[in-house]
Amino acid sequence: MAALQILSFILVNVLIVYGQFNPTASRTGCSDPSVQAGYGYFSHEVFCEKYGQCDSGLNRFDRNCGPGLLYSANINVCVKPEQANCTYWERSPTGTKFPAMCCDQYLEKLATGYAFKTCPSGTIFQASSGNCISGVCNDDIGCYRPGKVTVGNNYTCYDIPDENGDPCVYTTQFSGNVIRKRPCPWGTAFNRELCQCSIVTSSCPIASTIANNTANKALDPQCRPSFNLDFNSLPLQVTSEKIVSGTNTTLNYFTQTVGVTVSNGVANLVADPANRDNPYIYSYFFNSNQLASPVAFTVTFRCDIFTGVPFQLLTNNYNNDVCPATLEVVVTCSNSRYNVQVSATGATATGAASELQLKGSANGVLSVQNQNSFVELTIFYDGTISGQITDKNTGIRSPITSTSGNLGTYLATNKCGLVLGRGLTGKIDNFTVREGCQDKTRVIV
């Protein structure tokens, strides 16, 4: 008899017996940082047909994908089996058959994705051996069979239908925050009565939000902004120039601000005097938003004090316990100099557990003649890191030089959004992201 092999992972233990999957994983819990960051979805520990969701009370509730769909953790939606990335299953080096919610079914691993299989009549699937055997059928509560009635969970619902009537997205309200345009899993629509995305429909894959995201990510020789933050009023508004040519299209995503005021199109960031929190701007638009090269980030800002204390100008590290950074720009202002340190983690694929991830860095220094001058920093990622920082008053610029080679096509998956200006005492008057930027010379001279 083969020995049991124990593999330990963060938040989960998976037991492999005879190369198969034995569902003994510990349950992932909800934490306040994860909910505040907008990262409230995660893979179920046993069934790829399910996903976990957190509410603002830090309660976890399991949701089902539509019939015949599997949850893909790298993009936080339910997809066809052949497209799925099942987080815990991908970590099994030899397992090829995995449990389904219906006792007489299982999923078999293919070269790409999975396929539903049915056991012979009168048998059930045994996960530990990977075989169909005789036994008592005990479906998981999420098993869908024709005629079965779905019962909703009894808990406080913080989700409401989209204000513009799009059935494929919904709005979350908690702790004074409003997060709009949260997409339902692929192929499902929001069900108000059950407070979940449980209405199976073929129309949602072409919902406006998905269509807009696709347009934003399209390759663009003009390098138009796919994300532009407007600093004229609070709450901050987000627009894109790529969805409708020649038009700024409003993207209804909530942007959280702490220690931020706005005036004449400029954001002023100061530490909160009440609790001394670092100021920051946090965009939920980038939650689980896979960024592929080529992409450019531009921030126009100014330090009001030059004390030599570093701050995070841009990062997707909302909280170390939730989302370790895969992109971070740290700036130190000292003696009329802007010292920039960039770090990024690249990936060769879109979020697969087996993807190759490479870490890289870049840096640059700019001296300004007048400390009241704004500077414009552009970071360009096309598998390598490059950029420049420019004194907007004099036009003097300095390059951001990479110290590493090619990191891969994608920025490594991170489920949190982007934090802007955390710890900055100063001003920001522009933040744009240009996905699909094909012409680097339009943003870097």
Side-chain angles (χ1 to χ4, degrees):
M1 179 175 179
L4 299 181
Q5 181 184 11
I6 306 294
L7 302 178
S8 298
F9 301 99
I10 297 174
L11 299 178
V12 63
N13 292 321
V14 177
L15 184 64
I16 310 296
V17 183
Y18 298 122
Q20 292 303 324
F21 179 83
N22 191 2
T24 58
S26 59
R27 283 174 61 84
T28 299
C30 297
S31 67
D32 184 66
S34 69
V35 174
Q36 290 295 325
Y39 164 25
Y41 298 96
F42 42 83
S43 299
H44 191 271
E45 298 78 10
V46 178
F47 299 112
C48 197
E49 300 155 276
K50 289 187 173 186
Y51 59 96
Q53 181 180 3
C54 299
D55 70 12
S56 62
L58 306 186
N59 302 303
R60 167 179 166 159
F61 300 92
D62 292 337
R63 304 296 191 210
N64 301 331
C65 290
L69 300 179
L70 302 180
Y71 179 74
S72 199
N74 57 309
I75 54 177
N76 268 6
V77 296
C78 297
V79 297
K80 295 178 181 179
E82 60 269 24
Q83 301 170 326
N85 178 307
C86 299
T87 299
Y88 298 135
W89 297 358
E90 295 292 327
R91 293 168 175 168
S92 171
T94 57
T96 59
K97 297 178 181 179
F98 302 92
M101 294 190 293
C102 297
C103 67
D104 57 350
Q105 297 177 8
Y106 62 95
L107 284 128
E108 186 166 19
K109 190 171 185 178
L110 307 176
T112 57
Y114 301 84
F116 276 96
K117 302 289 184 178
T118 301
C119 289
S121 179
T123 63
I124 62 172
F125 179 71
Q126 184 184 58
S128 59
S129 67
N131 296 319
C132 295
I133 63 171
S134 298
V136 177
C137 180
N138 292 307
D139 288 336
D140 180 82
I141 191 172
C143 168
Y144 174 80
R145 297 185 187 275
K148 180 179 178 180
V149 177
T150 301
V151 179
N153 292 302
N154 181 22
Y155 76 107
T156 302
C157 180
Y158 295 90
D159 299 331
I160 61 174
D162 174 59
E163 60 188 11
N164 296 319
D166 187 341
C168 308
V169 298
Y170 62 96
T171 296
T172 296
Q173 299 175 320
F174 65 90
S175 301
N177 295 329
V178 179
I179 308 173
R180 298 181 175 88
K181 302 296 182 184
R182 302 190 74 169
C184 284
W186 194 270
T188 61
F190 185 71
N191 185 325
R192 183 170 192 167
E193 287 70 30
L194 298 181
C195 193
Q196 64 185 40
C197 297
S198 58
I199 300 174
V200 179
T201 174
S202 61
S203 65
C204 281
I206 57 173
S208 60
T209 298
I210 297 173
N212 288 351
N213 286 345
T214 301
N216 264 340
K217 294 179 181 299
L219 292 175
D220 181 17
Q222 299 179 58
C223 264
R224 292 168 296 174
S226 56
F227 176 95
N228 184 53
L229 207 53
D230 186 332
F231 294 106
N232 281 296
S233 61
L234 293 176
L236 301 179
Q237 299 298 307
V238 179
T239 60
S240 168
E241 294 181 21
K242 292 181 69 176
I243 295 172
V244 179
S245 180
T247 302
N248 281 328
T249 302
T250 299
L251 304 176
N252 291 315
Y253 285 86
F254 177 71
T255 301
Q256 183 184 23
T257 52
V258 173
V260 178
T261 59
V262 295
S263 178
N264 299 320
V266 176
N268 187 49
L269 285 76
V270 294
D272 186 336
N275 51 26
R276 311 184 99 183
D277 278 350
N278 280 329
Y280 66 86
I281 299 167
Y282 182 63
S283 173
Y284 288 89
F285 175 79
F286 294 97
N287 285 69
S288 300
N289 187 345
Q290 179 77 63
L291 296 177
S293 66
V295 57
F297 305 86
T298 299
V299 186
T300 305
F301 68 103
R302 185 185 83 189
C303 289
D304 283 345
I305 56 175
F306 286 72
T307 58
V309 178
F311 62 91
Q312 293 169 312
L313 180 66
L314 186 65
T315 180
N316 59 2
N317 171 11
Y318 181 85
N319 180 288
N320 277 319
D321 295 332
V322 179
C323 293
T326 61
L327 173 67
E328 189 159 80
V329 179
V330 176
V331 176
T332 304
C333 295
S334 177
N335 298 322
S336 299
R337 289 158 58 96
Y338 286 80
N339 188 306
V340 179
Q341 300 287 330
V342 183
S343 60
T345 303
T348 57
T350 55
S354 59
E355 72 184 6
L356 176 63
Q357 294 193 358
L358 299 173
K359 296 182 183 296
S361 60
N363 58 74
V365 178
L366 175 71
S367 296
V368 295
Q369 297 177 6
N370 186 338
Q371 290 188 357
N372 289 324
S373 297
F374 277 83
V375 299
E376 180 181 87
L377 174 65
T378 296
I379 303 299
F380 192 84
Y381 181 84
D382 59 358
T384 60
I385 310 168
S386 60
Q388 69 183 24
I389 181 169
T390 304
D391 184 330
K392 296 290 287 182
N393 185 42
T394 64
I396 296 174
R397 63 178 62 91
S398 181
I400 304 297
T401 306
S402 177
T403 58
S404 51
N406 194 293
L407 307 180
T409 303
Y410 302 89
L411 284 170
T413 301
N414 183 304
K415 292 182 180 295
C416 288
L418 281 177
V419 181
L420 177 66
R422 181 158 61 195
L424 166 67
T425 297
K427 295 174 174 58
I428 299 175
D429 77 351
N430 173 57
F431 175 50
T432 58
V433 179
R434 293 173 168 86
E435 297 183 72
C437 177
Q438 286 184 295
D439 186 355
K440 184 177 179 179
T441 63
R442 289 182 177 267
V443 292
I444 297 178
V445 178

